[in-house]
Amino acid sequence: MWDLASLRSSDLSLTKVIVKNLSSGTRVVLKSHYGYEVEEVKILGKERYLVAHTSDTLLLGDLNTNRLSEVAWQGSGGNEKYFFENENVCMIFNAGELTLVEYGSNDTLGSVRTEFMNPHLISVRINERHQRGMEDNKKLAYLVDIKTIAIVDLIGGYNIGTISHESRVDWLELNETGHKLLFRDRKLRLHLYDIESCTKTMILNFCSYVQWVPGSDVLVAQNRNSLCVWYNIEAPERVTMSSIRGDVIGLERGGGKTEVMVTEGVTTVAYTLDEGLIEFGTAIDDGNYTRATAFLETLEMTPETEAMWKTLSKLALEARQLHIAERCFSALGHVAKARFLHETNEIADQVSRDYGGEGTDFYQVRARLAMLEKNYKLAEMIFLEQNAVEEAMDMYQELHRWDECIAVAEAKGHPALEKLRRDYYQWLMDTQQEERAGELQESQGDGLAAISLYLKAGLPAKAARLVLTREELLANTELVEHITTALIKGELYERAGDLFEKIRNPQRALECYCKGNAFMKAVELARLAFPVEVVRLEEAWGDHLVQQKQLDAAINHYIEARCSIKAIEAALGARQWKKAIYILDLQDRNTASKYYPRVAQHYASLQEYEIAEELYTKGDRTKDAIDMYTQAGRWEQAHKLAMKCMRPEDVSVLYITQAQEMEKQGKYREAERLYVTVEEPDLAITMFKKHKLYDDMIRLVGKHHPDLLSDTHLHLGKELEAEGRLQEAEYHYLEAQEWKATVNMYRSSGLWEEAYRVAKAHGGANAHKHVAYLWAKSLGGEAAVRLLNKLGLLEAAIDHAADNCSFEFAFELSRLALKHKTPEIHLRYAMYLEDEGKFEEAEAEFIRAGKPKEAVLMFVHNQDWEAAQRVAEAHDPDSVAEVLVGQARGALEEKDFQKAEGLLLRAQRPDLALNYYKEAGLWSDALRICKDYVPGQLEALQEEYEREATKKGTRGVEGLVEQARQWEQAGEYSRAVDCYLKVRDSGSSSLMEKCWMKAAELSIKFLPPQRSLEVIRAVGPQLIGIGKHSAAAELYLNLDLVKEAIDAFIEGEEWNKAKRVAKELDPRYEDYVDQHYKEFLKNQGKVDSLVGVDVIAALDLYVEQGQWDKCIETATKQNYKILHKYVALYATHLIREGGSAQALALYVQHGAPANPQNFNIYKRIFTDMVSSPGTNSAEAYHSWADLRDVLFNLCENLVKSSEANSPAHEEFETMLLIAHYYATRSAAQSIKQLETVAARLSVSLLRHTQLLPADKAFYEAGIAAQAVGWENMAFIFLNRFLDLTDAIEEGTLDALDHSDFQDTDIPFEVPLPAKQHIPEAQREEVRDWVLTVSMDQRLEQVLPRDERGAYEASLVAASTGVRALPCLITGYPILRNKIEFKRPGKAANKDNWNKFLMAIKTSHSPVCQDVLKFISQWCGGLPSTSFSFQ
């Protein structure tokens, strides 16, 4: 028991805890090293371990060893779990994380993620057995998941091993040194894992117990009834097994012995282990090899003992305890090693005696140990480090390793080198190693001697190799002959062939190659020397490969040799099926047909039936293909193929026979498929019926005869019912939707419960009630009541009995169980009797049911008024009136109105008499009755009468008119007016007009003003509606309704009357009348009349109607502003319709005003003109001239307007210049001698590509340059054109290269054309020409330059920035010989001007004269200089 006491500081915090053992009195003081307050203290783990918490740390302690630890710890709400199975370390598990704390250490030993906290699935080893050379040894093994083990070195904090197992691990443990891991899986297989070598070994099956022996690496395990002990775990295959008759429960070690405790029944038996063997292992681990040797000497030699001697010998050598190693090798019987170590020990002991110290460090000892390990190079290095060259050489000589010995002598310049070589050679000869001697002579350059030795050793191949490498030896014919003879004798034909080929003897070489089966060399030689032999050699090569079973390699050689049959056989033998098919497809049909079936059989075995079918067909073995499909159960394919090559009746016979055979074998499904394949499903149905496989029968009927499915189900149901198989019969009846047959079947068999179940499930809402009723009726009496109560259908059964006229049964049930239902049954019985005509009996039942009124109604229905009156007076006085009403109704049917009226008045129902008179159309009698008995309804009846009169058409109208006259005569003018207003007669407008006018007259004369106004406002529209506009207007004017009168005249299109009324009575409405008149004219399309009223409206109407010519013609007669408004509208319309040329003609005719709102129209006309195709010709001159003249007119107008010198003005001036260039070019194109002028104009236009389609401009310039022979320029321009077409396709100009146009005034930034302006055919011609020129490389891709050093067509000189004026004729810069015009900035090159004038004089071209005329207008006249050729 432990007691806890606490010490508090001055601030009353808990700083120390004293833990006292009450039994022993020992005390432990627990406190935080960091001064934290101790919050909670627990004693756990069999009261040995202490756990305490502070705010930031965790305190742990072992009370037995007084080892305390404090580690940083963040509180987790007390969810930690502590495991104290290991005495050295505490394992803490929290939220999937395992933390290890070593007692006495204030740092956590390690932390890993794992979900498995079973102590059997975690193993920790903390310095449990100290080993030599290892200070700290701390290892952890744990489960990462159920099949993966991780091993961690806790000192370094790294993973030293991961084991992935195929099954779930349920136990694991490290040995005490942490070098071995044992684990067992759920299949009870025990595995050993060596951590250093990362090897896993399964050492035991059916392992039910396993444990390391404490203090050693001995392993104890149980396999069923066997106790297994591994005394040397390094040799897991060596296991000591003994039989036991119980289960191992533990190990006990003490008092110099180790015992395995086994429960055998109720007793526990101890099996003692060999402590000596355990001790050996411990001694080995502790490095005490002397004790291990002494122990082993006491043991007999067994496989286990032998393994221990080997282990000890290895460890003793590593530790250089050579005497122990010598003893081990002696014990193992390794005499040579024991003697060698004995000599080594004598050397070491001698050195120790002579010089002191460890003799094992002496160089001879170290060298000999290296020799023992066969590490001769290390031994040589040790000797040479001590300059013991002789000893190193002696070592190699003793081992007969002469090469290494000579190498050492050469390296050290030993004087006996030559002697060594001679001795080596002599030794080789003495030992008859002629081959090695020959190699030695070869290495020394003595070829003849080497060859002689090779031949003597029977190695002519080596001799041949040497001869082939030395030309001087090849010249020795006798030597070569000798070698070839030896080679042939030794059947080394290939090497002999190489030698013959080398000495230029191809015939012998070919023979040797063939004998040696070196066909590759033979074929290569034959291709050069004997071409006709190649085919034969290829066949022989193929035969050889076939003999060598290399059939696939032989195929190609047979193909080369044109041996198709052999190639096919080889391909088939090599199972190269695709290659075989390829070869067969190249053969004639007779040859190939024998082999196709063999290939087809292969593909059939692979279930590649389509390929096999094709091959069978090619081999004329269609029947085999059909059999293949049949055997594979692919009946459809077999049938399809059979239909191609067999008569349909034969196919059917074949398949039916096969199906019958299948049927006999009980393979009904296969038989069915065969029947169906040949479209004989009825045979399959018969088969299934015969064998009573009704499900399959029904399936086939449903698939092939769906119309017979219900009949089949019904037939099967009847058969099964007859056989007494009622459940199966039920299924088929129900599938046939014959639930009634099912119910009757069960009823006839007395199975009422089954009948009830079926009816309830399948018979609808009331069927089960009917069955229950029949069931109950069959029982009768109290039994029926009990049954119906059980089913909850008693009341329903009574109702059902009544419905089925079984009133006796219904009365019986109600008497026994539901007496309150008896009146209802009497009532239903009475109704039944009524239907049967038994009225007296029915009367009695109605009265018994308490329903005398029903009896009254029965007699009323049968018009037995006396009986009805009797029953009503006796049993239901309230029904007397109904009887009188019914009697009156009968009188009415007989047209006896007076009798009916009397009866109804007796029944105090004058309202019914009133209704009957109304229905009969006897309104006077109705009004009389109403006036006498219900005067309050008189007015409503009168109104109803009027409505009825209106509905009756002419007769009704006449009645209304007559009624109105009567009201009028009676002085009831308001009612008379209402009657007149209600007159509606579509057949007589005159009558309606007369009545309405009469109503208006009466209202004006006799009714108040407000009422007369309402009447006039009601009559007026009605008169207008029938076309009496004047009459309506006159009525309006009677009450001074001027506007309404005007509207009536307007609606009647009586415009003069409307104007006169407006003018005379209210002038304010004159404009109102005029406006409506204009709208009328517009709506009627009477534009010519509208012109005189409102010209703008008329023009707008022309525009709406699309009468543009009339619109412009009319606008021309108006002022300039109006004209150009509609010209602009017309031009916009034309442009939208694609008629820019017509729009241009419009402005040619009417001029181009400088209205800013027109600027976009002018620009669009310009853009469409320069983009249109077919304008690069002489024929296009007039189009360009029109554009030029319009733009000139526009620019002249702009000069006089507020837009002068604006950006828009400058832009139009540029457009004018471009249009002038185009017009001049077209004029020049009509004269041969101005061809260069036209070309220059096309080139000049390139500086304006910001306004022109760039692709079109460059194309025209390039073609023009090409036409006049300027190929450099043509190439550059057309190349640019192709780049532009590609850019248009790509939608961007980013890829354009501008290097050709540097230092020119041709702009780089131009708009990307939206479409291609040049057709595809012409683009392809240009592309071909450019490609041809590029391939010729005869042109320089440079634009021509002038005296300025600038591009000749550029206005700006890049070097000086000076801008020259463009020539009016060519557009080129004027550098000299300038002719100036009166208008500033206008000039021409003298030579070009004179050339143009000369062309006009010689050709008298009207278009050129027109150009000259325009220049005169544009530039203020022509220059005064006379024509000159200078």
Side-chain angles (χ1 to χ4, degrees):
M1 295 292 292
W2 295 87
D3 180 39
L4 301 179
S6 62
L7 297 176
R8 296 184 180 273
S9 60
S10 58
D11 60 355
L12 300 179
S13 63
L14 185 63
T15 57
K16 294 182 181 178
V17 176
I18 299 173
V19 184
K20 181 179 179 181
N21 190 326
L22 298 179
S23 59
S24 64
T26 58
R27 296 172 19 137
V28 177
V29 178
L30 180 67
K31 70 174 183 178
S32 171
H33 294 289
Y34 306 103
Y36 294 117
E37 179 181 350
V38 179
E39 297 176 350
E40 181 184 16
V41 180
K42 296 179 182 177
I43 297 176
L44 305 171
K46 299 180 181 178
E47 298 189 350
R48 174 176 174 178
Y49 299 100
L50 186 67
V51 179
H53 284 275
T54 71
S55 59
D56 293 313
T57 60
L58 176 67
L59 291 87
L60 300 165
D62 183 350
L63 297 175
N64 287 1
T65 61
N66 203 20
R67 290 183 295 167
L68 302 177
S69 302
E70 183 176 12
V71 296
W73 193 263
Q74 294 298 321
S76 57
N79 294 322
E80 303 92 343
K81 293 183 181 179
Y82 301 92
F83 295 87
F84 303 101
E85 278 73 9
N86 193 302
E87 295 182 353
N88 297 315
V89 65
C90 177
M91 294 184 285
I92 309 170
F93 186 71
N94 181 36
E97 186 168 352
L98 172 66
T99 304
L100 304 177
V101 180
E102 185 178 3
Y103 299 118
S105 173
N106 291 331
D107 292 313
T108 57
L109 188 58
S111 179
V112 295
R113 299 288 302 179
T114 180
E115 298 293 336
F116 305 93
M117 272 309 299
N118 188 327
H120 296 304
L121 299 176
I122 299 172
S123 178
V124 185
R125 295 295 187 181
I126 307 294
N127 296 328
E128 296 191 22
R129 269 188 25 225
H130 290 282
Q131 291 184 297
R132 187 170 57 192
M134 183 175 290
E135 295 297 328
D136 274 344
N137 182 19
K138 301 178 181 180
K139 303 282 194 329
L140 164 67
Y142 68 98
L143 280 185
V144 176
D145 57 46
I146 58 174
K147 296 182 180 179
T148 306
I149 305 172
I151 307 167
V152 179
D153 188 321
L154 296 172
I155 297 174
Y158 56 87
N159 192 307
I160 58 175
T162 301
I163 307 167
S164 295
H165 195 54
E166 68 274 5
S167 185
R168 180 172 182 171
V169 177
D170 66 359
W171 181 90
L172 62 85
E173 188 170 14
L174 291 163
N175 71 338
E176 293 175 347
T177 61
H179 295 146
K180 307 284 185 182
L181 173 69
L182 278 174
F183 67 90
R184 187 183 70 177
D185 59 27
R186 290 190 65 182
K187 297 180 179 179
L188 301 181
R189 296 177 299 186
L190 184 64
H191 298 265
L192 175 68
Y193 182 76
D194 189 299
I195 297 173
E196 292 182 1
S197 64
C198 299
T199 56
K200 180 175 71 172
T201 308
M202 202 265 292
I203 60 174
L204 190 65
N205 276 315
F206 306 106
C207 176
S208 57
Y209 176 86
V210 60
Q211 188 62 52
W212 294 105
V213 174
S216 73
D217 285 339
V218 176
L219 180 63
V220 176
Q222 181 180 1
N223 169 288
R224 293 178 175 168
N225 294 327
S226 298
L227 179 66
C228 306
V229 183
W230 286 265
Y231 289 105
N232 183 7
I233 199 62
E234 297 294 340
E237 71 280 358
R238 299 184 181 275
V239 55
T240 302
M241 302 182 70
S242 56
S243 297
I244 57 176
R245 291 181 293 175
D247 296 326
V248 178
I249 59 173
L251 289 172
E252 291 184 2
R253 190 174 192 196
K257 63 179 180 179
T258 302
E259 294 179 330
V260 180
M261 311 307 296
V262 180
T263 59
E264 295 183 356
V266 295
T267 61
T268 300
V269 180
Y271 287 82
T272 304
L273 301 182
D274 192 330
E275 188 65 26
L277 294 178
I278 297 174
E279 185 64 25
F280 170 77
T282 305
I284 290 295
D285 287 335
D286 295 343
N288 192 344
Y289 302 144
T290 303
R291 192 177 80 187
T293 305
F295 162 69
L296 288 177
E297 287 177 340
T298 65
L299 302 177
E300 294 181 2
M301 183 59 70
T302 64
E304 292 82 3
T305 310
E306 182 181 351
M308 293 183 203
W309 279 115
K310 287 182 179 179
T311 301
L312 182 59
S313 67
K314 178 182 177 184
L315 295 173
L317 279 176
E318 290 175 354
R320 293 197 180 182
Q321 296 188 21
L322 303 183
H323 290 283
I324 294 174
E326 179 186 346
R327 176 69 187 88
C328 290
F329 286 125
S330 298
L332 291 169
H334 294 173
V335 178
K337 286 187 177 182
R339 183 172 63 81
F340 188 80
L341 279 174
H342 179 73
E343 295 171 358
T344 305
N345 283 326
E346 287 181 347
I347 295 171
D349 294 343
Q350 184 65 38
V351 170
S352 296
R353 287 195 298 272
D354 294 346
Y355 304 105
E358 286 288 337
T360 55
D361 293 332
F362 188 55
Y363 78 93
Q364 288 184 356
V365 176
R366 289 189 290 116
R368 288 177 70 84
L369 289 177
M371 292 164 63
L372 186 64
E373 295 175 358
K374 294 184 173 54
N375 193 346
Y376 303 116
K377 282 295 179 182
L378 177 60
E380 175 192 332
M381 183 181 69
I382 294 170
F383 281 132
L384 295 181
E385 284 177 352
Q386 302 297 323
N387 202 25
V389 178
E390 293 287 348
E391 294 181 49
M393 293 168 60
D394 291 342
M395 173 188 72
Y396 281 131
Q397 287 185 60
E398 186 177 355
L399 295 169
H400 298 295
R401 299 173 73 94
W402 289 92
D403 291 333
E404 289 85 346
C405 178
I406 293 170
V408 170
E410 286 179 344
K412 295 299 182 180
H414 197 278
L417 177 60
E418 290 302 323
K419 183 177 181 301
L420 276 173
R421 286 175 175 164
R422 288 194 299 273
D423 291 346
Y424 179 30
Y425 179 73
Q426 188 58 46
W427 177 76
L428 289 173
M429 297 303 295
D430 293 344
T431 56
Q432 296 183 349
Q433 299 185 50
E434 288 86 358
E435 179 183 3
R436 191 71 191 91
E439 291 173 353
L440 182 63
Q441 292 294 335
E442 183 180 350
S443 65
Q444 294 176 2
D446 192 348
L448 286 173
I451 289 171
S452 177
L453 289 169
Y454 286 147
L455 293 175
K456 184 178 179 182
L459 299 170
K462 279 201 169 188
R465 177 188 56 77
L466 181 57
V467 168
L468 288 170
T469 58
R470 299 194 181 184
E471 292 293 335
E472 68 275 10
L473 296 176
L474 283 170
N476 190 335
T477 307
E478 183 179 351
L479 177 64
V480 171
E481 185 66 29
H482 187 43
I483 294 171
T484 53
T485 302
L487 288 170
I488 292 170
K489 185 177 180 181
E491 297 185 353
L492 298 172
Y493 298 111
E494 183 176 358
R495 187 52 59 89
D498 292 339
L499 196 54
F500 280 126
E501 187 175 357
K502 192 71 175 179
I503 63 173
R504 294 180 176 80
N505 190 345
Q507 185 64 45
R508 293 287 303 279
L510 186 61
E511 292 173 1
C512 290
Y513 284 147
C514 290
K515 288 181 180 179
N517 296 319
F519 289 103
M520 180 180 290
K521 292 182 179 180
V523 170
E524 290 176 359
L525 177 60
R527 291 187 196 281
L528 299 173
F530 311 104
V532 295
E533 295 291 323
V534 171
V535 172
R536 181 185 62 80
L537 290 172
E538 289 283 2
E539 183 179 1
W541 194 354
D543 293 341
H544 170 69
L545 290 172
V546 169
Q547 291 175 1
Q548 299 295 317
K549 306 300 182 184
Q550 299 180 27
L551 300 174
D552 52 346
I555 299 169
N556 290 332
H557 298 294
Y558 283 135
I559 292 173
E560 291 289 334
R562 301 183 181 86
C563 295
S564 301
I565 301 300
K566 288 186 176 182
I568 295 167
E569 293 286 355
L572 294 175
R575 303 181 69 79
Q576 295 283 344
W577 308 105
K578 292 184 179 179
K579 190 172 286 188
I581 293 172
Y582 170 75
I583 300 170
L584 287 169
D585 288 343
L586 299 176
Q587 309 306 313
D588 61 86
R589 189 175 185 86
N590 293 332
T591 303
S593 60
K594 296 185 294 184
Y595 297 99
Y596 276 125
R598 290 173 60 184
V599 184
Q601 289 170 6
H602 164 73
Y603 282 103
S605 68
L606 297 179
Q607 298 184 359
E608 295 186 18
Y609 299 115
E610 290 76 9
I611 300 175
E613 176 194 334
E614 181 183 354
L615 295 171
Y616 276 129
T617 303
K618 288 182 178 179
D620 296 327
R621 299 280 286 275
T622 310
K623 182 67 169 58
D624 291 348
I626 296 170
D627 292 342
M628 171 192 72
Y629 279 131
T630 303
Q631 292 170 10
R634 302 181 69 162
W635 312 108
E636 293 80 3
Q637 291 91 331
H639 180 258
K640 181 179 178 182
L641 188 59
M643 290 300 293
K644 291 181 180 178
C645 61
M646 297 173 64
R647 293 184 305 168
E649 53 271 23
D650 294 339
V651 174
S652 297
V653 169
L654 172 66
Y655 270 63
I656 291 171
T657 305
Q658 184 70 23
Q660 291 170 348
E661 190 63 34
M662 292 285 186
E663 183 180 348
K664 291 177 183 178
Q665 298 173 14
K667 298 179 179 179
Y668 302 119
R669 282 301 177 90
E670 289 80 355
E672 174 200 335
R673 294 184 65 181
L674 290 169
Y675 283 133
V676 171
T677 302
V678 294
E679 299 180 358
E680 290 289 349
D682 292 345
L683 294 177
I685 293 169
T686 304
M687 172 188 71
F688 285 129
K689 182 180 180 182
K690 174 183 175 183
H691 296 283
K692 296 188 178 182
L693 298 172
Y694 296 129
D695 291 342
D696 292 312
M697 174 184 172
I698 288 296
R699 174 174 54 79
L700 286 180
V701 170
K703 184 175 181 181
H704 298 284
H705 301 293
D707 53 319
L708 300 177
L709 184 59
S710 295
D711 293 341
T712 305
H713 275 298
L714 187 60
H715 175 72
L716 288 177
K718 291 177 180 178
E719 281 193 7
L720 291 166
E721 181 182 354
E723 295 174 8
R725 296 160 64 181
L726 303 185
Q727 290 289 340
E728 296 175 52
E730 175 191 337
Y731 167 76
H732 289 288
Y733 278 138
L734 293 178
E735 286 294 318
Q737 299 182 350
E738 289 288 343
W739 64 271
K740 291 182 180 178
T742 312
V743 170
N744 292 331
M745 173 184 71
Y746 284 128
R747 279 181 57 196
S748 61
S749 300
L751 299 173
W752 284 101
E753 290 186 13
E754 296 297 324
Y756 178 77
R757 172 182 59 78
V758 172
K760 188 172 184 179
H762 303 281
N766 297 314
H768 67 290
K769 297 178 183 179
H770 180 65
V771 174
Y773 162 75
L774 294 175
W775 188 1
K777 194 172 182 181
S778 69
L779 296 173
E782 295 288 343
V785 172
R786 285 195 299 273
L787 172 65
L788 292 172
N789 275 327
K790 177 184 176 183
L791 298 177
L793 295 174
L794 178 59
E795 190 169 351
I798 294 172
D799 292 338
H800 190 77
D803 290 341
N804 286 275
C805 304
S806 296
F807 294 106
E808 291 182 7
F809 186 52
F811 281 126
E812 181 183 3
L813 292 177
S814 64
R815 177 176 55 78
L816 293 172
L818 292 175
K819 293 183 179 179
H820 69 276
K821 291 282 289 183
T822 303
E824 181 183 343
I825 299 170
H826 279 297
L827 175 62
R828 299 178 73 171
Y829 187 30
M831 295 171 68
Y832 167 74
L833 291 171
E834 180 185 356
D835 292 340
E836 293 293 319
K838 300 176 180 180
F839 301 116
E840 292 182 3
E841 297 176 35
E843 176 189 341
E845 291 297 325
F846 277 129
I847 292 170
R848 290 191 189 103
K851 298 287 185 178
K853 187 172 183 179
E854 295 296 329
V856 172
L857 293 175
M858 174 183 69
F859 287 126
V860 168
H861 179 70
N862 289 285
Q863 297 186 356
D864 188 348
W865 305 112
E866 183 179 348
Q869 188 84 14
R870 173 177 54 78
V871 174
E873 290 174 353
H875 300 284
D876 189 15
D878 294 339
S879 299
V880 173
E882 292 184 18
V883 174
L884 292 173
V885 170
Q887 196 171 352
R889 192 176 290 114
L892 285 172
E893 290 175 359
E894 295 174 359
K895 304 298 182 180
D896 190 349
F897 295 104
Q898 288 186 351
K899 181 180 178 182
E901 180 181 337
L903 291 169
L904 290 172
L905 292 176
R906 282 176 60 195
Q908 298 181 356
R909 295 297 302 274
D911 55 326
L912 290 178
L914 183 65
N915 290 334
Y916 287 140
Y917 280 131
K918 282 165 53 179
E919 290 173 1
L922 301 173
W923 286 95
S924 58
D925 292 323
L927 289 170
R928 175 176 57 78
I929 293 293
C930 184
K931 184 176 180 181
D932 293 340
Y933 296 98
V934 281
Q937 298 180 12
L938 181 60
E939 186 173 353
L941 184 63
Q942 181 67 37
E943 292 177 356
E944 185 179 356
Y945 168 57
E946 293 173 358
R947 286 196 299 273
E948 286 297 319
T950 303
K951 290 179 182 177
K952 291 180 180 178
T954 305
R955 290 179 58 199
V957 168
E958 292 174 355
L960 280 175
V961 172
E962 184 61 31
Q963 184 67 37
R965 287 175 181 162
Q966 292 177 6
W967 289 122
E968 182 181 352
Q969 291 171 1
E972 294 285 344
Y973 298 111
S974 179
R975 291 195 175 188
V977 167
D978 290 340
C979 281
Y980 281 129
L981 290 177
K982 292 175 182 177
V983 172
R984 296 287 188 277
D985 187 358
S986 58
S988 176
S989 59
S990 60
L991 176 62
M992 290 191 291
E993 179 185 3
K994 182 178 179 181
C995 291
W996 295 339
M997 290 299 288
K998 187 66 174 178
E1001 179 186 347
L1002 292 175
S1003 67
I1004 293 172
K1005 288 181 180 180
F1006 302 107
L1007 298 183
Q1010 184 64 34
R1011 172 63 175 155
S1012 62
L1013 183 62
E1014 291 176 1
V1015 173
I1016 297 304
R1017 287 190 180 277
V1019 171
Q1022 292 178 354
L1023 289 171
I1024 291 171
I1026 62 174
K1028 303 298 181 179
H1029 300 87
S1030 295
E1034 289 174 4
L1035 286 177
Y1036 285 135
L1037 290 174
N1038 285 334
L1039 293 182
D1040 295 330
L1041 298 174
V1042 177
K1043 185 175 183 303
E1044 286 78 355
I1046 290 171
D1047 288 339
F1049 283 131
I1050 288 174
E1051 192 164 348
E1053 299 180 8
E1054 298 184 30
W1055 299 101
N1056 293 329
K1057 291 182 180 180
K1059 289 180 181 179
R1060 187 172 70 251
V1061 169
K1063 182 177 181 180
E1064 294 176 357
L1065 299 180
D1066 195 341
R1068 292 178 301 169
Y1069 291 110
E1070 289 188 73
D1071 291 340
Y1072 176 77
V1073 175
D1074 289 342
Q1075 184 64 33
H1076 277 74
Y1077 185 44
K1078 292 176 186 177
E1079 292 295 329
F1080 168 73
L1081 293 175
K1082 287 175 65 176
N1083 293 334
Q1084 295 294 318
K1086 298 178 179 180
V1087 190
D1088 297 338
S1089 302
L1090 186 59
V1091 171
V1093 180
D1094 187 345
V1095 69
I1096 298 300
L1099 291 171
D1100 290 340
L1101 188 57
Y1102 279 135
V1103 170
E1104 288 179 16
Q1105 295 177 348
Q1107 299 184 45
W1108 289 103
D1109 293 338
K1110 280 194 173 184
C1111 176
I1112 299 301
E1113 180 184 349
T1114 305
T1116 306
K1117 300 172 183 177
Q1118 310 305 316
N1119 60 50
Y1120 185 79
K1121 186 175 181 180
I1122 291 176
L1123 170 64
H1124 277 284
K1125 172 188 173 183
Y1126 290 96
V1127 167
L1129 288 173
Y1130 189 20
T1132 303
H1133 169 74
L1134 290 171
I1135 289 170
R1136 285 177 183 159
E1137 297 295 324
S1140 296
Q1142 295 94 312
L1144 176 62
L1146 203 59
Y1147 282 109
V1148 170
Q1149 180 181 357
H1150 299 287
N1155 297 332
Q1157 56 268 32
N1158 286 11
F1159 286 175
N1160 284 337
I1161 297 174
Y1162 302 146
K1163 291 178 181 178
R1164 178 60 184 271
I1165 291 173
F1166 174 82
T1167 302
D1168 289 350
M1169 281 293 296
V1170 299
S1171 300
S1172 61
T1175 55
N1176 185 16
S1177 64
E1179 292 76 12
Y1181 173 77
H1182 293 292
S1183 297
W1184 291 120
D1186 287 347
L1187 178 63
R1188 176 197 66 196
D1189 294 344
V1190 168
L1191 290 171
F1192 175 64
N1193 178 246
L1194 172 62
C1195 292
E1196 291 297 307
N1197 291 335
L1198 282 169
V1199 171
K1200 304 169 188 175
S1201 71
S1202 60
E1203 294 288 331
N1205 299 321
S1206 66
H1209 184 190
E1210 294 178 2
E1211 185 176 5
F1212 283 121
E1213 288 286 356
T1214 304
M1215 291 180 181
L1216 171 59
L1217 180 62
I1218 292 170
H1220 164 66
Y1221 285 162
Y1222 273 124
T1224 307
R1225 185 182 73 177
S1226 288
Q1229 286 172 337
S1230 65
I1231 301 173
K1232 180 66 176 176
Q1233 65 196 80
L1234 295 180
E1235 191 176 23
T1236 56
V1237 171
R1240 289 192 175 192
L1241 284 165
S1242 295
V1243 172
S1244 298
L1245 284 166
L1246 294 178
R1247 72 173 71 100
H1248 299 294
T1249 47
Q1250 74 275 16
L1251 295 176
L1252 305 176
D1255 60 328
K1256 184 170 181 285
F1258 275 99
Y1259 173 77
E1260 292 174 351
I1263 294 298
Q1266 185 185 36
V1268 297
W1270 302 341
E1271 291 196 346
N1272 277 356
M1273 291 176 71
F1275 177 75
I1276 292 172
F1277 294 155
L1278 291 176
N1279 199 31
R1280 180 69 159 193
F1281 161 71
L1282 293 177
D1283 292 343
L1284 284 166
T1285 60
D1286 293 340
I1288 293 169
E1289 296 291 340
E1290 295 168 3
T1292 176
L1293 292 169
D1294 294 343
L1296 281 186
D1297 179 13
H1298 305 298
S1299 57
D1300 289 338
F1301 302 100
Q1302 295 291 340
D1303 300 332
T1304 71
D1305 56 359
I1306 297 175
F1308 297 163
E1309 300 295 331
V1310 298
L1312 176 66
K1315 63 176 184 177
Q1316 301 281 3
H1317 290 84
I1318 306 303
E1320 177 66 26
Q1322 293 169 248
R1323 295 203 300 273
E1324 287 302 318
E1325 290 178 8
V1326 170
R1327 189 172 280 108
D1328 293 343
W1329 185 81
V1330 169
L1331 181 61
T1332 303
V1333 172
S1334 300
M1335 297 295 290
D1336 291 346
Q1337 297 183 351
R1338 58 187 175 80
L1339 299 180
E1340 292 186 39
Q1341 195 168 342
V1342 179
L1343 292 171
R1345 297 184 176 271
D1346 57 18
E1347 60 199 44
R1348 299 173 298 170
Y1351 165 48
E1352 68 178 16
S1354 178
L1355 299 180
V1356 180
S1359 58
T1360 62
V1362 175
R1363 184 179 183 88
L1365 288 175
C1367 175
L1368 284 172
I1369 300 301
T1370 64
Y1372 267 44
I1374 304 171
L1375 304 180
R1376 59 182 178 276
N1377 296 332
K1378 182 191 299 183
I1379 296 178
E1380 295 188 356
F1381 293 81
K1382 292 180 181 180
R1383 175 170 287 193
K1386 298 292 185 284
N1389 179 276
K1390 188 174 183 180
D1391 295 338
N1392 293 327
W1393 180 256
N1394 289 341
K1395 186 175 184 179
F1396 194 73
L1397 292 179
M1398 175 59 74
I1400 293 173
K1401 289 182 178 181
T1402 57
S1403 67
H1404 304 290
S1405 170
V1407 294
C1408 290
Q1409 292 173 1
D1410 185 63
V1411 170
L1412 208 59
K1413 178 181 177 183
F1414 170 73
I1415 291 173
S1416 175
Q1417 293 175 350
W1418 187 25
C1419 301
L1422 297 177
S1424 57
T1425 55
S1426 60
F1427 178 79
S1428 173
F1429 289 100
Q1430 301 299 320

